[in-house]
Amino acid sequence: MDKFVIEGGERLQGTVRISGSKNAVLPLLAATLLRKGTYTIGNVPRLRDVNTMIRLLELLGVKTKWAEENRLSIDTRDAENHVAPYDVVKEMRASVLVLGSLVGALRKATVSYPGGCAIGERPINLHLKGLSALGCDINIREGYVDVTAKSLKGSRIIFDTITVGGTENILMAAVRAKGETIIENAAREPEVIDLACMLKKMGAKIEGEGTEVIRIRGVDDLEPCDYDVIPDRIEAGTFLAACGITRGNIIVERCVPRHIKAIIDKLKEAGMDIVEDGDSLKAAMTRKRPIAVDVKTIPYPGFPTDMQAQIMALMSISKGVSAVQETIFENRMMHAAELRRMGADIRVIGHAAIVKGKDMLSGAKVMATDLRASASLIIAGLAAYGTTEVSRIYHIDRGYESIEKKLRGLGAKIVRRKDESMGH
Ligand code: EPU
């Protein structure tokens, strides 16, 4: 197991290039199961979660090959298998995204039932309710969800809660259903739009993606396509927060500024200067300490839950008191206790954290509990006095491409070391 060793206190300076989006590429890879053929997906980030999705596709009969560093060739001509086994799904819940594409392509899917994870219970009842509305029979047996459909029929589906993965699964099944499907209270995230764009490139008829009502008219066949993944908005937001906490001055290249408007607005409120220039952002923090701001996570276009931990790190050295409220996941405050070990003054009450800004954090040994929590501890370590060691960084390798190299490129003192104390 690896850990990061960070010497805090360097102001970030220079240019960083944003990679392709983790949460966009996973459903796009799953979508290649919808139609046999050959695909090339570009701007694919090299991440552990991407490798896990590739492993799953290969178990389903897909062949893959890296054509270039970030370009993946996919051949689904022999994809006949419909079973996503426990070993893969337990590694990554997003494996459940093959449900919709397998049902769309083969009218059957057997997927290991995903368990909860560090940030919450994360049920899939809404995915299953939507598939059942499209005419699927659903059985839960021996830890697996077994979905079969004689035929798929378009339907009107109203989600009780906005669900990104649920919207994506229903989109993928509905493009091959007979007639029209209407998804109401659909997720509006850019990653959902990206999936709809790829499906449209394959010949699907979809309208309304990016709004709360998506209409899908099923088609008899689709065709394979080549497609480039959108930039990762959470990676961009993470670098902006790192710039803010270190009083840095950076350029964030190859991002889509409108995808991160809520994050930019919040960071500006906290005292950062952020200027858009095409697909780049110039960001600087001139104040000694950020202004305390309140944050509430809500589905897109609101402030994303995937940036909550990182902004909490920034707020831990703010001038004032900030309230950070998490409304999407039940258990996404684990980083608060680790930030406290670095001297932060954070009180968690239910799903909210009251953060009293301190002058300074101090380096400590801390442990990453999930992907975004790891990012928040790294950000805190960059600003802290002394040395911070972040262990269990396999979490960060799931979702950030070469984060330490990118941070070093901006002048940070961060190295990856073997963590002897953690075993294997
Ligand atoms: N929910 C249900 N029932 C369902 C589905 C969801 O109650 O059937 C609830 C969840 O428990 C949660 C809320 O709805 O409380 C939202 O969950 P959603 O389905 O939108 O989340 P997801 O699709 O499982 C994706 C991202 C997450 C991100 C969330 C919210 C991927 C692969 N994952 O998860 O990303 O936090 O949307 O934006 O796209 C991360 O990257 O660190 C990460 C966790």
Side-chain angles (χ1 to χ4, degrees), residues 22-24 26-27 49 92-94 96-97 117 119-129 159 161-168 187 189 191 233-234 298-300 304-306 327-330 332 370-372 399:
K22 166 178 86 79
N23 289 346
L26 297 174
D49 275 6
M92 182 182 73
R93 313 186 80 264
V96 82
L97 289 168
C117 80
I119 62 175
E121 280 192 29
R122 307 186 74 182
I124 56 162
N125 58 317
L126 302 176
H127 302 230
L128 300 183
K129 193 175 145 195
F159 281 127
T161 305
I162 294 179
T163 161
V164 173
T167 305
E168 290 166 343
E189 269 69 1
E191 295 76 20
R233 62 193 167 101
I234 304 301
I298 26 178
Y300 192 83
T305 172
D306 292 344
T327 75
I328 311 291
F329 292 109
E330 314 88 79
R332 213 175 198 181
D370 69 77
L371 171 59
R372 309 302 170 186

Side-chain angles (χ1 to χ4, degrees), residues 249-263:
N249 187 345
I250 67 170
I251 296 174
V252 178
E253 248 180 22
R254 270 217 221 150
C255 61
V256 183
R258 76 189 139 79
H259 288 169
I260 46 175
K261 174 138 179 36
I263 301 171

Side-chain angles (χ1 to χ4, degrees), residues 39 205 283 341:
Y39 298 74
K205 302 266 181 276
R341 302 196 65 251

Side-chain angles (χ1 to χ4, degrees), residues 195-376:
L195 173 63
C197 286
M198 170 158 154
L199 294 173
K200 289 211 265 197
K201 205 169 175 198
M202 291 168 71
K205 302 266 181 276
I206 302 170
E207 277 172 25
E209 68 275 15
T211 75
E212 58 207 25
V213 182
I214 305 180
R215 288 171 189 273
I216 306 125
R217 185 157 282 286
V219 292
D220 289 336
D221 200 5
L222 296 164
E223 55 189 64
C225 72
D226 297 338
Y227 196 79
D228 285 345
V229 184
I230 52 167
D232 197 307
R233 62 193 167 101
I234 304 301
E235 188 195 11
T238 301
F239 279 102
L240 290 175
C243 172
I245 204 167
T246 62
R247 290 192 286 141
N249 187 345
I250 67 170
I251 296 174
V252 178
E253 248 180 22
R254 270 217 221 150
C255 61
V256 183
R258 76 189 139 79
H259 288 169
I260 46 175
K261 174 138 179 36
I263 301 171
I264 294 174
D265 285 355
K266 200 44 86 178
L267 293 174
K268 280 183 173 172
E269 209 183 310
M272 286 183 74
D273 296 322
I274 303 175
V275 182
E276 276 184 48
D277 181 9
D279 67 356
S280 293
L281 291 168
K282 289 196 172 76
M285 181 62 141
T286 45
R287 288 168 187 276
K288 195 155 180 292
R289 287 167 64 189
I291 302 164
V293 292
D294 291 342
V295 177
K296 182 178 178 179
T297 62
I298 26 178
Y300 192 83
F303 190 89
T305 172
D306 292 344
M307 274 297 296
Q308 181 257 103
Q310 300 88 316
I311 196 121
M312 195 186 292
L314 179 65
M315 287 301 104
S316 67
I317 59 153
S318 72
K319 230 177 154 73
V321 180
S322 114
V324 179
Q325 218 184 320
E326 171 62 49
T327 75
I328 311 291
F329 292 109
E330 314 88 79
N331 193 28
R332 213 175 198 181
M333 290 279 173
M334 308 263 274
H335 41 280
E338 296 300 299
L339 290 171
R340 270 201 297 265
R341 302 196 65 251
M342 301 178 69
D345 181 347
I346 304 176
R347 198 147 63 99
V348 177
I349 306 166
H351 298 309
I354 308 298
V355 187
K356 286 190 188 152
K358 298 283 277 284
D359 252 355
M360 182 64 114
L361 296 176
S362 71
K365 290 188 176 173
V366 288
M367 200 182 281
T369 47
D370 69 77
L371 171 59
R372 309 302 170 186
S374 330
S376 117

